[in-house]
Amino acid sequence: MNSARERIIAALEQQAKSEVVAAEVQQLRNRLQRADAHAQGGSSAGEEIVARFRARAQTAGAVVMQAHTPADVPGLLDEYLRAATSVILGEDALVRASGLGETLRGRGDACQVRSVTDADLQRETDDWKHRYASADLGITGAVGGIAESGAVVITSSEYESRSVSLLPHTHVVLLRASDIVPSLPAAATLLRSLIMERGASAVTLIDGPSKTADIEKVLVTGVHGPRTFVIVLITDARDDASTGTRPL
Amino acid sequence: MSTPTPIVPEHFKQLVGERIHDDALRGNIRRATRTSLEKRLAVISDYDDWEELRSLGYDIKRHVIDHLPYYLKKFEHAAAAAGAVVHFATDAAEAREIVHGLAVQRGGPVIVKSKSMTTEEIGLTHALEDAGIRTVETDLGEYIVQLAKEPPSHITAPALHKSRAEIGRLFADMLGIAYTDDPEELTAIARRLLREDFLAADVGISGVNFAIAESGTLCIVENEGNVRLSTGLPKTHIAVMGMEKLLPDMESLGLFLNLLGRSATGQRLTCYTSLITGPRRPNERDGPDEVHIVILDNGRSRMMRDPHLREALFCIRCGACMNVCPVYQSIGGHGYGSVYSGPIGSIITPVFYGEKRSRALPFASSLCGACAEICPVKIDIHHHLLWWRKSMVGSGDAPRSERLMMRIFLAISRRPALFDLAGRIARLFTPLLRDGDGGISVPVWRGSRSFPAPPKKSFKQLWRHHEQRS
Amino acid sequence: MSHTFVRIVHVSLFIPCLTDQLFPETGMNMVRVLERVGVRVTYDRRQTCCGQPAFNTGYHDESRRLAMHFLDIFDGDGAEYIVAPSGSCATMVTVFYGDLLSLPPEYREKAGRVRERVREFTSFLVDIMHVEDVGAAFSSRVTVHDSCHALRELHIKQQPRTLLRAVRGLQLVEMDEAERCCGFGGTFSVKHADISTAMLEEKVASIERSGAAVVTGVDSSCLMQIDGMLRRRGLPVRTMHIADILASEAA
């Protein structure tokens, strides 16, 4: 058997070591941890982290709002909700806790309210993509935040489609402040848990609205992804808000 | 894609000649690279120990490359367990064949593609189009150069060499719209047109920035959203990756994302970072039904064999070396005549296209070392250029006149008395060669510079007087 | 002036081929400054070229022969230090007379010994002799061009500036992009004269913006490149090797 795979691996094995020494890997991880801790300046939790997250998310072009509890969210988002003629909601715990579905449906016909679970948004239905694309607003929950860059972490699951945060021109994400970690290396545990334990096929870090500088390095917002990106930080502490085991 | 023209000295001279006097082009490139460099400095100042991060980047990459078969197999196993189909391709032709085969089977009116230097390397888009499969480059910069029927001129900013007016003209001519040079308007037009293709496509093709061995995850970074749209909406996602893209785990991914964004575009993180592990799960509502990963060799195992070239496999394709290179700033990416331009391009092009067909590139540098200084994974690019020069001269690839001159210089310099005599003789000609600016005319030195007139006495002669006095 | 040496330091001169033939006064000025700070200077007239031009152009065999000639001269010559008025030549010996050149075994040993003793001139003064004020006087606005090898291989950045700040009457100004390559690069300046010239244009523009009357540095090769365009354009700026400035005394 001399497939491409066999030939490539054979060529590589002549030039490389075949066994990884665990101690070497651990040494690299320790150095990385130390460098990262040093880079974060010792801050690992609390207001400093949240403040840094806000500032850097704003630098990346996100609109950042703060709510004390999920129930405050509909009020905060009033302007965006009133401007939208069609909204698609994720079904994760945070979005449900915010009561956005009820608020929007309570407004009657003014706004078409959909959920990612609706039949005509499923893959088997014709034109499902176009329905997503014609929505003004997608609202989802995030599972984490990265303070050093102001990015949020969202994940695919039965409660969230990939499209709801991508096709509508405005994306609003709800994030618990207690789910913010200082840095990307510090988010490794969360990412590993989402991918290897929960089996999420698509975990995405989002840092601001879609943008480009491909024309003369002039920054333009809203290329292929959402033009407007809003983060609502929810500051109340909850028992289940621990990385890796929080319910979606 | 037809074989590119060999980048031998004559051809390179032509490429340079077409560009070096184009002040507008040089201005575009200068401004764009300067902006990237300034933004980079601003964000690396977040760290007071950026050097340690660079060292870690080097050490982690070296660890991976030193154990490449181990991590490759680990990645393959994990990706397959997540439901991806892993293919291996020894060279560009094999890779094109695999992708073409999949594309034909999966059908669809159009293929959407996100920016990938690896797919440029193998000439994928041209091959698909030649086979009658409509393939649309969706990254704005790539979309622009695709319309212009040009290759990209920079690793992360494909249309860096074009002004807004040129892009406006291009859109007006090729898309039949009213002329505008406003970046916002041009972007909105691209968004509108490409959206149709995103929604219609059944196959999406992407590259890979990092492949995580522990989980079989593909990490792809972008700012526009076209990667998410190309990889998330169509039923089939095909990812093409060079086999050196591996990282061991999520922790190292964190480090490398920090190195990449800051070095490439002066961002703390790109707008979107997609971590893709296999196709859609049964309980997920959307996402591709199939994910195919094409792992490419195409000369990389050859680079492993060479103890020096091995380091070039660490490259994370950030483009910082191009931004800082004064040669790149003078001639632009197209001036190199290769898919991979700038400093890193000069050292890996001879691997992909062959030494004989890339002869000019390692010599197109003043060896200033700014590239090595800025590289986030500490590749000693300028030293690699020296090794290539040695290799090329050693295998007979040098002009005869130059070889002769070097031999003569050696013969003279090994004999001190002869060296002094040669100097004295050369000085006799000085009065004949005087130019009007206090120097002498030396044709190879060119008219834009005066060459210093040799003084009457050499240092050795002056020293003799000095010795006698003391 | 402050020395940490009680005894006289013996320095052997390393005069690059370019300096010997085209800028001999710079070599002599370095000698004057070294003697002024109390160094005993000797010069072996058998030296010619360290092999850098051949090495940079890929001619390692030729370069190796010249390196061996160099090592035969300097190894065991009894001097504590070998000082050169050139960052690029000092780099050739200290950085590249190693694995890259594949010297035969006995020459590898010589190289090991010799490399440790080689210093670029300003680094020798500041880092070894701990001298900052060499008693110079030179009234002019001066800017420093950072030569690539000196900067990136030998980490020479502050030393020239430290020495210039102590020169009476001298006003030190910084040009923008002082660290950007002037475009010389040895044979590059001839093989790719057009790119070399384009790079030089940018450097000259930086110099003009600095408002300096004199541009200096640690490498005559760079200064030769820069001077070439200043002369051709008739600009009111001149180039001087730092040794030439440091040798200047009050009238």
Side-chain angles (χ1 to χ4, degrees):
Chain A
M1 265 256 280
N2 205 16
S3 68
R5 181 190 181 280
E6 258 79 56
R7 273 178 279 139
I8 291 171
I9 303 272
L12 290 177
E13 276 171 349
Q14 282 172 17
Q15 308 304 326
K17 301 173 204 164
S18 48
E19 284 310 309
V20 167
V21 176
E24 199 188 329
V25 180
Q26 194 53 49
Q27 203 186 41
L28 287 169
R29 275 219 188 159
N30 292 344
R31 269 178 69 196
L32 217 162
Q33 229 161 22
R34 272 199 307 274
D36 190 50
H38 179 85
Q40 303 316 316
S43 51
S44 61
E47 282 173 31
E48 217 180 298
I49 290 289
V50 177
R52 179 175 291 174
F53 174 85
R54 282 192 74 121
R56 296 203 174 164
Q58 281 166 336
T59 305
V63 173
V64 184
M65 300 176 163
Q66 209 150 303
H68 186 58
T69 73
D72 297 328
V73 173
L76 265 180
L77 291 175
D78 191 57
E79 205 183 296
Y80 291 95
L81 298 175
R82 287 197 187 286
T85 49
S86 67
V87 182
I88 305 180
L89 299 172
E91 286 292 332
D92 59 279
L94 208 43
V95 174
R96 279 187 278 118
S98 69
L100 276 163
E102 290 75 20
T103 309
L104 285 166
R105 290 187 181 96
R107 281 170 43 200
D109 302 322
C111 180
Q112 187 190 44
V113 189
R114 284 203 161 104
S115 160
V116 294
T117 55
D118 287 1
D120 65 353
L121 287 177
Q122 303 314 306
R123 290 164 36 254
E124 302 80 13
T125 319
D126 281 343
D127 296 331
W128 69 276
K129 296 178 196 173
H130 283 89
R131 280 189 201 96
Y132 266 110
S134 57
D136 296 315
L137 180 56
I139 307 183
T140 69
V143 294
I146 317 285
E148 75 178 337
S149 43
V152 302
V153 183
I154 65 171
T155 181
S156 60
S157 70
E158 63 188 284
Y159 308 108
E160 297 289 4
S161 68
R162 300 189 192 195
S163 305
V164 64
S165 58
L166 181 57
L167 286 168
H169 63 70
T170 298
H171 175 211
V172 173
V173 79
L174 310 183
L175 171 69
R176 286 196 192 279
S178 52
D179 283 339
I180 298 174
V181 297
S183 69
L184 275 168
T189 314
L190 170 66
L191 297 175
R192 197 165 19 242
S193 153
L194 290 167
I195 292 170
M196 298 182 79
E197 286 165 38
R198 287 192 208 268
S201 70
V203 174
T204 312
L205 307 179
I206 301 180
D207 203 1
S210 151
K211 52 179 85 82
T212 183
D214 273 345
I215 299 177
E216 284 191 1
K217 290 285 168 190
V218 172
L219 187 67
V220 175
T221 333
V223 195
H224 300 300
R227 281 195 288 268
T228 307
F229 179 61
V230 181
I231 305 171
V232 182
L233 279 176
I234 297 163
T235 53
D236 72 341
R238 288 279 302 272
D239 296 322
D240 58 0
S242 56
T243 58
T245 57
R246 69 190 305 292
L248 290 172
Chain B
M1 179 170 140
S2 56
T3 20
T5 314
I7 313 149
V8 294
E10 304 76 52
H11 179 59
F12 183 71
K13 213 182 180 69
Q14 187 195 339
L15 291 170
V16 172
E18 286 165 5
R19 288 167 179 82
I20 200 87
H21 301 295
D22 186 340
D23 287 339
L25 175 70
R26 276 172 63 183
N28 293 344
I29 295 167
R30 214 43 182 110
R31 271 188 300 276
T33 52
R34 192 179 272 136
T35 305
S36 296
L37 292 170
E38 282 165 9
K39 292 178 80 177
R40 170 186 171 274
L41 280 178
V43 291
I44 69 173
S45 68
D46 282 353
Y47 301 111
D48 62 7
D49 203 3
W50 177 249
E51 287 306 307
E52 168 63 359
L53 298 182
R54 290 178 74 214
S55 292
L56 262 169
Y58 180 93
D59 289 339
I60 292 174
K61 271 289 170 180
R62 189 175 57 177
H63 169 78
V64 169
I65 298 298
D66 281 351
H67 301 89
L68 192 57
Y70 169 85
Y71 282 110
L72 206 49
K73 285 189 266 191
K74 195 172 186 192
F75 171 78
E76 180 195 19
H77 184 79
V85 179
V86 181
H87 311 257
F88 284 81
T90 46
D91 58 25
E94 266 180 43
R96 287 195 300 264
E97 212 180 292
I98 294 167
V99 178
H100 177 253
L102 290 168
V104 159
Q105 278 170 25
R106 271 82 187 144
V110 62
I111 291 184
V112 285
K113 189 180 162 296
S114 62
K115 193 174 82 59
S116 157
M117 290 308 296
T118 311
T119 59
E120 291 288 337
E121 179 190 320
I122 64 174
L124 182 62
T125 308
H126 283 276
L128 290 172
E129 292 186 321
D130 286 347
I133 301 173
R134 186 167 161 252
T135 309
V136 178
E137 292 284 352
T138 61
D139 174 275
L140 182 61
E142 287 285 348
Y143 180 70
I144 290 168
V145 297
Q146 189 180 36
L147 278 179
K149 297 192 179 32
E150 290 172 15
S153 72
H154 185 282
I155 272 180
T156 60
L160 175 146
H161 58 294
K162 288 195 175 312
S163 68
R164 67 180 73 185
E166 285 164 350
I167 297 168
R169 189 75 268 144
L170 181 69
F171 273 35
D173 291 343
M174 302 297 291
L175 303 172
I177 50 155
Y179 173 85
T180 173
D181 68 358
D182 175 46
E184 296 243 7
E185 286 176 29
L186 290 166
T187 305
I189 290 162
R191 178 189 168 97
R192 188 170 39 84
L193 290 172
L194 285 166
R195 196 143 271 241
E196 305 292 324
D197 293 324
F198 284 126
L199 298 181
D202 284 330
V203 176
I205 300 176
S206 77
V208 175
N209 293 96
F210 304 109
I212 313 303
E214 73 173 337
S215 53
T217 300
L218 304 171
C219 175
I220 314 172
V221 309
E222 56 156 337
N223 280 311
E224 299 176 16
N226 61 311
V227 169
R228 292 175 68 198
L229 287 165
S230 307
T231 60
L233 287 183
K235 296 207 192 86
T236 302
H237 168 208
I238 305 170
V240 182
M241 63 176 260
M243 61 189 187
E244 83 285 11
K245 295 288 171 76
L246 287 160
L247 288 177
D249 52 29
M250 292 295 162
E251 279 81 0
S252 44
L253 175 65
L255 168 72
F256 276 83
L257 286 172
N258 277 335
L259 289 173
L260 178 61
R262 289 158 205 269
S263 304
T265 48
Q267 293 177 285
R268 294 198 169 92
L269 193 62
T270 52
C271 191
Y272 303 116
T273 304
S274 297
L275 302 178
I276 295 168
T277 315
R280 174 184 65 80
R281 296 294 181 276
N283 68 342
E284 289 176 354
R285 291 172 191 284
D286 57 5
D289 297 321
E290 291 179 62
V291 170
H292 292 264
I293 305 172
V294 182
I295 298 180
L296 179 69
D297 181 342
N298 201 33
R300 287 157 175 79
S301 51
R302 231 202 84 198
M303 287 168 77
M304 292 278 292
R305 278 202 292 277
D306 185 321
H308 299 139
L309 263 182
R310 222 171 151 115
E311 225 181 55
L313 287 169
F314 301 179
C315 177
I316 62 175
R317 305 286 194 263
C318 71
C321 59
M322 293 170 203
N323 293 338
V324 81
C325 176
V327 174
Y328 180 92
Q329 288 172 8
S330 303
I331 64 175
H334 291 158
Y336 290 77
S338 167
V339 168
Y340 295 111
S341 60
I344 190 68
S346 299
I347 66 177
I348 63 179
T349 299
V351 177
F352 299 132
Y353 292 156
E355 247 184 81
K356 291 221 178 301
R357 289 164 55 213
S358 318
R359 250 167 52 209
L361 290 183
F363 293 92
S365 164
S366 64
L367 301 173
C368 79
C371 48
E373 195 176 47
I374 208 174
C375 177
V377 291
K378 289 177 98 153
I379 302 170
D380 258 345
I381 301 175
H382 60 328
H383 291 173
H384 284 271
L385 291 168
L386 284 168
W387 292 317
W388 274 119
R389 293 182 184 190
K390 173 187 179 176
S391 175
M392 288 175 176
V393 166
S395 57
D397 252 329
R400 271 222 303 251
S401 55
E402 186 184 81
R403 220 176 251 292
L404 187 60
M405 252 180 38
M406 286 293 168
R407 290 220 180 98
I408 292 172
F409 188 74
L410 170 66
I412 293 174
S413 305
R414 287 179 66 208
R415 299 165 178 82
L418 194 53
F419 186 84
D420 291 342
L421 182 62
R424 275 180 220 250
I425 292 173
R427 278 196 284 284
L428 290 173
F429 288 96
T430 307
L432 299 171
L433 298 168
R434 285 214 180 272
D435 66 13
D437 300 310
I440 59 173
S441 266
V442 175
V444 291
W445 192 241
R446 295 291 165 82
S448 48
R449 295 168 291 191
S450 174
F451 193 84
K456 290 203 170 59
K457 291 190 158 68
S458 69
F459 178 83
K460 289 200 174 74
Q461 291 169 293
L462 292 178
W463 175 261
R464 192 174 290 127
H465 294 309
H466 181 79
E467 256 189 328
Q468 285 163 359
R469 262 187 273 127
S470 55
Chain C
M1 273 189 295
S2 64
H3 302 233
T4 54
F5 294 98
V6 179
R7 56 183 170 56
I8 305 280
V9 175
H10 173 196
V11 157
S12 177
L13 296 174
F14 170 5
I15 301 294
C17 52
L18 198 75
T19 307
D20 179 37
Q21 293 298 314
L22 292 179
F23 306 104
E25 272 304 325
T26 294
M28 285 311 302
N29 282 327
M30 182 174 86
V31 170
R32 288 180 188 113
V33 175
L34 288 172
E35 290 180 338
R36 209 192 286 155
V37 302
V39 168
R40 182 166 82 86
V41 173
T42 56
Y43 175 62
D44 192 316
R45 36 184 350 108
R46 293 174 294 162
Q47 64 187 278
T48 52
C49 176
C50 65
Q52 195 196 177
F55 179 75
N56 282 354
T57 319
Y59 291 84
H60 283 220
D61 289 337
E62 285 81 353
S63 181
R64 189 178 308 115
R65 311 270 279 284
L66 289 172
M68 287 160 64
H69 175 77
F70 183 96
L71 290 169
D72 281 335
I73 292 167
F74 284 97
D75 185 37
D77 69 351
E80 262 179 276
Y81 292 98
I82 302 163
V83 178
S86 164
S88 62
C89 297
T91 296
M92 181 64 203
V93 179
T94 57
V95 177
F96 296 119
Y97 272 23
D99 298 326
L100 271 164
L101 208 42
S102 317
L103 291 163
E106 69 276 28
Y107 280 94
R108 250 179 270 147
E109 283 174 34
K110 286 180 190 267
R113 288 189 292 268
V114 169
R115 286 162 78 186
E116 280 178 20
R117 296 158 52 214
V118 170
R119 290 291 187 283
E120 177 276 332
F121 175 52
T122 63
S123 167
F124 175 74
L125 287 174
V126 176
D127 302 329
I128 304 294
M129 296 298 290
H130 304 294
V131 165
E132 294 181 10
D133 181 351
V134 301
F138 184 74
S139 295
S140 194
R141 257 177 133 207
V142 176
T143 190
V144 180
H145 160 69
D146 290 305
S147 296
C148 297
H149 279 131
L151 176 68
R152 298 197 176 91
E153 303 281 5
L154 302 179
H155 310 293
I156 290 166
K157 174 80 180 183
Q158 284 317 310
Q159 297 91 328
R161 290 163 173 82
T162 300
L163 292 163
L164 290 169
R165 275 191 208 102
V167 175
R168 287 152 197 70
L170 189 146
Q171 189 195 356
L172 185 63
V173 296
E174 288 292 339
M175 69 168 101
D176 54 77
E177 297 187 302
E179 299 182 357
R180 196 171 187 274
C181 182
C182 67
F184 182 67
T187 48
F188 174 81
S189 62
V190 168
K191 274 167 99 98
H192 295 291
D194 37 11
I195 306 178
S196 175
T197 303
M199 289 163 68
L200 179 56
E201 280 167 3
E202 303 266 0
K203 177 60 58 171
V204 167
S206 292
I207 291 168
E208 285 185 280
R209 283 192 293 271
S210 74
V214 174
V215 54
T216 190
V218 304
D219 263 285
S220 296
S221 47
C222 301
L223 296 171
M224 174 175 88
Q225 160 90 341
I226 293 169
D227 196 69
M229 186 171 279
L230 293 173
R231 295 287 66 70
R232 187 64 90 227
R233 290 193 185 170
L235 293 170
V237 184
R238 59 186 172 124
T239 57
M240 286 175 77
H241 190 281
I242 194 166
D244 302 330
I245 294 178
L246 296 176
S248 307
E249 289 171 297

